[in-house]
Amino acid sequence: MAHPDLRSYLSALDAHGQLLRWQDRVDPEPDLGAAARAVSNLTDRGPALLFDSITGYERGRVALNAVGSWPNHALMLGLPPETPVKDQFFEFARRWDDFPVAVERRTDPPWAELSLDEGIDLFQLLPLFRLNSWDVGCYIDKALVITRDPDDPDHFGKQNVGIYRMQVKDVDTLGIQPLPTHDAGLHLRRAEQRGQHLPVAIAIGNEPVITTVGGMPLNHDESEYEMAGAIQGEPYRIAAAPLTGLDVPWGAEVVLEGEMLAGVREVEGPFGEFTGHYSGGRRQPVIRIRKVSYRPDPIFEHLYLGMPWTEMDYTLALNTSVPLHRQLKAEFPEVVAVNAMYTQGLLAIVSVKQRYGGFGKAVGMRAMTTPHGLGYCKVVIVVDETVDPFNLAQVMWALSVKFHPRHDTVTVPNASVLPLDPSSDPPGITDKVVLDATTPIAPDTRGHYSQTVEAPERTAEWEQALKEMLR
Amino acid sequence: MSRNTDLTCPRCDTADVRVLTRSPVPGAWEMYSCRVCLYSWRSTEPDSARIPATYPAAFKLDPAEIDALPVVPALPD
């Protein structure tokens, strides 16, 4: 069943013991960032955190780590919390095939209850806080940023829903990082070529499926809302934002509206990024907020990121792995599964049934030349179809016994990678490597792999029986 | 906790600092913002975030370097 909004999702987490309500008062810094860092450090099955007493606020509420564990990720998809990662991967891939699912347009969004056109102060509205010690200020980093293509404003699919980091620079002003390769960057460029500001809506505090889809590498003319409908299994609810007419999630906590200012670039950053390193400072675009619509006592849902793993690694895990899987499988149907969860796929693991000797290496190199691989896939580990790429114990076993450094290493010099990869030199250029940990087959016959130790008879039955007893 | 009463920016060491906002519950905290490098901080943060002498050198910014920072995305011709 789909969660219509963040509050519904948090209730579902609560019902499964996956929401921790912290009721003692906390300081914005360093406590909120530290708590989110801590819960990621402890476990990959941990809870979301909900704080409702923040120093300086009457009724400030902050939700952190909403999807920051595998049980929470499963509950996002309406699956039992114990669903293994590999099963979540296959279910996510299956639902992707249902794209597009037409949206449900509504005129009664809860966020329309209250609004402000003057005297906007985002710090009064939401308990904004610094995440990591040397971030330049407070950021909004999990909100949906919605823009239309100025060259084709009526095209629903070209309306973009993306997630971009935004520095809160003033009570009504944000800095934003829309890279030229992002759809929002393309929309801004087209607006600037016309000498026009780019209207923008920003939806804060959403149910997690649209947030996950916002990070997907969809084509420019593919609607994130129609994909969210596919992933959640029913039409996605949207409503028109009052100032800009942009379509925003019906269930949002807060909707900001304004414009990206044409021709303006202003100092932004640094910000602790998903690579585990701070980005430097750059001169980047600026958004002026003109209108704010919000629910009473809105929840500020925020995302901690920094040294992996953090919530961001869960939210990007399958929406990175599934497109790579689809692109590889289109040409090589022997590909079984792809785990590209490590730093957005800078390292990826592919399981494949080999056609003939050398096949695993070819699949590994193809991963590097997929659209996502051009900026990622610096290290590709290839394993047999019998190895679960989401089970690192199995992957490490394959690397330790199947991989022969002299025969199974393929290095690609001077390949492209995202410039944020701190090892790239110059930024954006790196060598890449395939580590082929598949079993050599003819004509690549070598090693001694004939006598594997199979599980004793009835092991599967015992697994099931023990699992039941452990429930 | 020591107070940054002279309101010098901890990051770029200029004195062009303003009050950004105040806590909804009066008296809990103030936030400040540097007009030059746009660093902002809260009065209740640890010293290292507020006091220029304790702000780490690696994260300091010389105001003269701002104009040379990369422009992303580039402006159209």
Side-chain angles (χ1 to χ4, degrees), chain A residues 89-90 93 322-338 350-351 355 363 366 370:
Chain A
F89 168 85
F90 284 122
V322 170
L324 260 177
H325 175 251
R326 291 169 65 87
Q327 288 157 12
L328 285 175
K329 204 170 175 65
E331 290 161 329
F332 302 123
E334 295 91 343
V335 169
V336 175
V338 176
V350 181
S351 65
R355 257 182 236 175
V363 170
R366 180 68 185 99
T370 57

Side-chain angles (χ1 to χ4, degrees), chain A residues 6-52:
Chain A
L6 174 67
R7 295 178 190 207
S8 158
Y9 172 65
L10 294 178
S11 296
L13 295 183
D14 203 14
H16 287 88
Q18 287 294 124
L19 177 71
L20 198 156
R21 295 170 187 273
W22 190 275
Q23 287 164 336
D24 295 341
R25 176 183 292 186
V26 295
D27 290 335
E29 299 91 6
D31 287 335
L32 290 168
R37 173 73 268 177
V39 75
S40 290
N41 290 350
L42 285 175
T43 171
D44 64 357
R45 307 194 65 78
L49 305 177
L50 184 61
F51 297 88
D52 59 11

Side-chain angles (χ1 to χ4, degrees), chain A residues 28-29 55-58 121 123-124 128-130 134 136-138 167 169-171 178-180 189 192-193 263 265-267 269-270 278 281-285, chain B residues 11 18 20-25 28-29 31 33 36-42 44-46 48-49 55-56 59 61 66-67 69-76:
Chain A
E29 299 91 6
T55 303
Y57 287 91
E58 290 281 3
D121 183 342
F123 295 90
Q124 304 295 310
L128 304 173
F129 59 97
R130 192 191 311 276
W134 316 120
V136 68
C138 300
Q167 179 189 343
K169 294 181 163 182
D170 203 344
V171 293
L179 297 180
R189 181 170 188 82
E192 289 185 320
Q193 283 169 338
R265 300 290 187 272
E266 197 178 67
V267 59
Y278 284 91
R282 301 185 181 89
R283 288 163 59 207
Q284 299 193 155
Chain B
R11 183 190 185 208
R18 66 191 174 94
L20 173 60
T21 192
R22 295 186 167 87
S23 54
V25 175
W29 42 259
M31 291 190 76
S33 175
V36 175
C37 74
L38 300 182
Y39 178 76
S40 60
W41 70 100
R42 198 183 316 262
T44 51
E45 288 196 71
S48 54
Y55 196 81
F59 288 91
L61 179 66
I66 291 176
D67 283 347
L69 291 175
V71 174
V72 181
L75 287 161

Side-chain angles (χ1 to χ4, degrees), chain A residues 105 111 146 148 153 156 159 199-201 225 238-248 255 257-258 291:
Chain A
R105 290 184 181 279
W111 47 258
I146 299 118
R148 286 208 170 98
F156 182 69
Q159 177 176 246
V200 60
Y225 294 129
I238 57 173
L243 181 68
T244 57
L246 289 157
D247 297 310
V248 300
V255 175
E257 292 178 90
K291 187 179 185 76

Side-chain angles (χ1 to χ4, degrees), chain A residues 261-293:
Chain A
L261 304 179
V264 176
R265 300 290 187 272
E266 197 178 67
V267 59
E268 192 269 0
F271 182 60
E273 274 287 1
F274 70 94
T275 58
H277 295 74
Y278 284 91
S279 73
R282 301 185 181 89
R283 288 163 59 207
Q284 299 193 155
V286 173
I287 295 173
R288 191 83 68 214
I289 303 301
R290 306 284 185 198
K291 187 179 185 76
V292 176
S293 307

Side-chain angles (χ1 to χ4, degrees), chain A residues 90-158:
Chain A
F90 284 122
E91 179 62 13
F92 199 95
R94 187 191 67 73
R95 295 186 193 182
W96 187 302
D97 289 336
D98 293 336
F99 171 81
V101 171
V103 297
E104 177 187 351
R105 290 184 181 279
R106 299 275 292 251
T107 56
D108 59 348
W111 47 258
E113 185 168 341
L114 300 168
S115 67
L116 274 177
D117 299 279
E118 293 180 1
I120 293 169
D121 183 342
L122 298 177
F123 295 90
Q124 304 295 310
L125 183 69
L126 295 168
L128 304 173
F129 59 97
R130 192 191 311 276
L131 277 172
N132 280 303
S133 303
W134 316 120
D135 290 348
V136 68
C138 300
Y139 273 76
I140 296 171
D141 70 358
K142 202 185 183 185
L144 304 172
V145 177
I146 299 118
T147 54
R148 286 208 170 98
D149 183 345
D151 288 354
D152 197 358
D154 296 328
H155 193 297
F156 182 69
K158 290 183 183 175

